[in-house]
Amino acid sequence: MSLNKVILIGRVGKDPEIRYFDSNSAVAGFSLATSERGYKLANGTEVPERTEWHTIVAYRELALFTEKWIKKGNLLYVEGKIRYRTYVDNTGIRRQVTEIMAEKINFFDSGNASYRDENRATPASPQSNSGHTSAPVHETEREEGAEPPSELPF
C-alpha cells in the first residue's frame, strides 16, 4: 500500500496563471508560501523564520474556481498530491519541477473552527475552538458582488 497526500495551509504568492486548451479544459498554477516561525534555542541561538514556496497546479473545474476567486495574499487550505516532472527548457537543459496537484482548495479562515462540505468535515483551525461551521455557497446561490465561497461549489 502507498499514499501520496499533501496538506498545506499558506498564502498565495501571486495571482494564478490560467491556460486553456483546445478541448475547453483549463489548468491553473500559482505559488503558495508556508512558513515556520522563528524561535530561540535554550543557549540563546536565534533560529530565523523559514518560508517554503510550493507550486500548486489545479485542473478543470478547480482551475476555473481558482481563476475566479483566488488572488495574491489569500490564505488557503490545499489538499493534493506531490508530483515530480522533468522537461527540457528552451536552451536544451533538462529541468526537474516539484508540483502539488491540487485535489481540494478551501479558503482558510482561522476564525472558524472548521470547514465542511456536504459529505464530510475537513480540518479545523488549530487556533480556534469557537465551534462555528461554515457551509459551502454554491455558484447559483451567490449574489453579484458577494464574497467567494469558503469551499468549492462541487
Side-chain angles (χ1 to χ4, degrees):
M1 182 177 158
S2 64
L3 175 67
N4 183 354
K5 181 83 164 183
V6 176
I7 298 174
L8 299 170
I9 297 172
R11 294 225 176 254
V12 177
K14 64 178 183 174
D15 287 343
E17 296 177 12
I18 313 298
R19 291 180 305 216
Y20 290 91
F21 300 99
D22 292 337
S23 61
N24 275 342
S25 61
V27 63
F30 61 93
S31 59
L32 188 77
T34 57
S35 297
E36 297 176 34
R37 292 186 180 196
Y39 55 93
K40 185 183 270 189
L41 297 175
N43 66 7
T45 304
E46 294 274 342
V47 178
E49 179 176 302
R50 178 183 174 115
T51 301
E52 299 287 342
W53 288 94
H54 312 275
T55 301
I56 310 297
V57 179
Y59 288 97
R60 296 174 286 286
E61 292 86 9
L62 199 52
L64 300 175
F65 173 85
T66 298
E67 178 181 37
K68 185 170 184 175
W69 294 108
I70 295 177
K71 303 290 181 227
K72 178 181 178 176
N74 288 144
L75 183 60
L76 300 180
Y77 169 92
V78 177
E79 279 186 30
K81 57 187 172 184
I82 195 164
R83 179 178 77 174
Y84 302 99
R85 182 172 57 85
T86 59
Y87 69 96
V88 177
D89 70 10
N90 294 339
T91 62
I93 298 173
R94 185 181 169 131
R95 306 268 184 192
Q96 183 171 354
V97 179
T98 303
E99 300 169 324
I100 305 302
M101 304 302 297
E103 296 170 344
K104 183 174 188 177
I105 297 174
N106 291 343
F107 285 93
F108 190 81
D109 178 1
S110 60
N112 290 339
S114 65
Y115 295 99
R116 70 175 173 83
D117 61 22
E118 292 141 350
N119 301 316
R120 67 179 194 277
T122 58
S125 165
Q127 295 87 15
S128 175
N129 58 7
S130 67
H132 179 266
T133 304
S134 62
V137 177
H138 294 280
E139 186 110 8
T140 56
E141 298 170 6
R142 269 194 308 276
E143 296 177 15
E144 188 65 34
E147 289 295 312
S150 63
E151 296 192 18
L152 295 176
F154 48 84

